[in-house]
Amino acid sequence: MAVKPPRIAVLASGRGSNFRALAEAAAKKDLGSAEIVGLLSNKKSAPALEIAKEFGVPNFLVESKKFRTGKVLDRAAFDSEIRNTLMGLKPDWICLAGYMLLLGPELVKSFSNRIVNIHPSLLPKFKGLDAQQQALDAGERETGCTVHLVNEELDDGPTVLQSRIRILPEDTVNTLSERLLPVEHRTYVEAMRLLCTTPFQIVAGRVLFAGKGYVEDRAE
Ligand code: GRF
């Protein structure tokens, strides 16, 4: 029996360069037979929505601001809308690509170990916002990015793949982020290729791929 192509949905709030990398990889069949079946954004102004149009990926807008009273988000109602939209896409994988909101526990539970995130640090170091600045402030000599499965905690969950880069003495947050971004793109593509094509187990907080040892660690 033919294996069905894995279906990937992407959630993005902004620029969308990681989404673009995934869309390009899918178009070139670099993710095996996987297809990107939808891009969902919580922000109307997100350039990621335009990238979706460019690649012919169906795009969906669930505006978080419509679920806010003042600064307070009606998490249950918003997540339920996100969940319904995602359910309609029948995704095997949900990729967070610069999605700037936390996913509520119910949403995470609905897609257990099928939500993937990329974070610009070597987790567990420097969770949360401004991870590159956090690495600089801590005087680190290297940093990197982590692709991981999402659990209910912020920037937590089993590691799929990490890549590292050196921090140069003259680096600013801008130069460091700029050098890290293409590494993020390659790491996310490689992680999704593995997840879509290779059987895996989760062992001791890491995604262990068949025949691969475990987390690949490439120095740039
Ligand atoms: C990336 O640095 C990613 O690691 C982080 O948010 C940023 C999103 O950038 N989670 P882009 O929207 O993919 O260009």
Side-chain angles (χ1 to χ4, degrees), residues 13-28:
S13 304
R15 182 175 59 180
S17 70
N18 278 285
F19 165 51
R20 178 184 287 283
L22 293 171
E24 279 174 359
K28 287 193 284 178

Side-chain angles (χ1 to χ4, degrees), residues 7 32 91 100 102 104 132 205:
R7 297 170 65 82
M100 298 309 284
L102 276 176
Q132 299 92 331

Side-chain angles (χ1 to χ4, degrees), residues 12-19 96-100 117-120 132 145 181 184-185:
S13 304
R15 182 175 59 180
S17 70
N18 278 285
F19 165 51
L96 308 185
Y99 182 68
M100 298 309 284
N117 183 39
I118 184 154
H119 183 75
Q132 299 92 331
C145 62
L181 197 59
E184 289 189 37
H185 299 159

Side-chain angles (χ1 to χ4, degrees), residues 24-191:
E24 279 174 359
K28 287 193 284 178
K29 296 288 167 212
D30 285 348
L31 304 179
S33 61
E35 291 168 5
I36 302 200
V37 295
L39 177 279
L40 197 160
S41 182
N42 64 305
K43 274 199 154 186
K44 200 173 182 176
S45 59
L49 287 164
E50 297 308 312
I51 298 174
K53 290 175 197 158
E54 200 185 306
F55 282 85
V57 170
N59 64 90
F60 302 86
L61 177 64
V62 179
E63 275 188 287
S64 42
K65 74 170 187 197
K66 294 200 173 148
F67 293 81
R68 282 187 202 280
T69 311
K71 287 198 166 168
V72 181
L73 178 70
D74 183 345
R75 162 75 56 199
F78 177 67
D79 273 9
S80 145
E81 191 67 28
I82 295 276
R83 184 174 173 277
N84 290 342
T85 309
L86 287 171
M87 286 291 192
L89 295 170
K90 299 187 172 42
D92 297 294
W93 293 105
I94 296 165
C95 290
L96 308 185
Y99 182 68
M100 298 309 284
L101 289 172
L102 276 176
L103 301 181
E106 289 308 316
L107 193 51
V108 173
K109 241 183 257 156
S110 303
F111 300 100
S112 177
N113 284 334
R114 290 193 288 140
I115 308 178
V116 189
N117 183 39
I118 184 154
H119 183 75
S121 78
L122 295 172
L123 291 173
K125 283 186 171 174
F126 312 129
K127 297 181 177 187
L129 291 175
D130 304 322
Q132 299 92 331
Q133 185 65 57
Q134 290 186 52
L136 286 172
D137 291 346
E140 297 285 314
R141 297 176 66 175
E142 63 170 19
T143 188
C145 62
T146 304
V147 177
H148 66 97
L149 301 183
V150 170
N151 64 16
E152 287 160 29
E153 309 295 325
L154 174 69
D155 298 327
D156 202 59
T159 301
V160 181
L161 209 57
Q162 287 186 315
S163 296
R164 46 187 78 226
I165 63 170
R166 270 183 274 281
I167 296 182
L168 307 175
E170 64 273 23
D171 261 331
T172 64
V173 70
N174 289 339
T175 59
L176 181 59
S177 307
E178 207 173 286
R179 239 181 25 262
L180 183 55
L181 197 59
V183 179
E184 289 189 37
H185 299 159
R186 290 201 294 276
T187 307
Y188 214 171
V189 166
E190 175 66 359

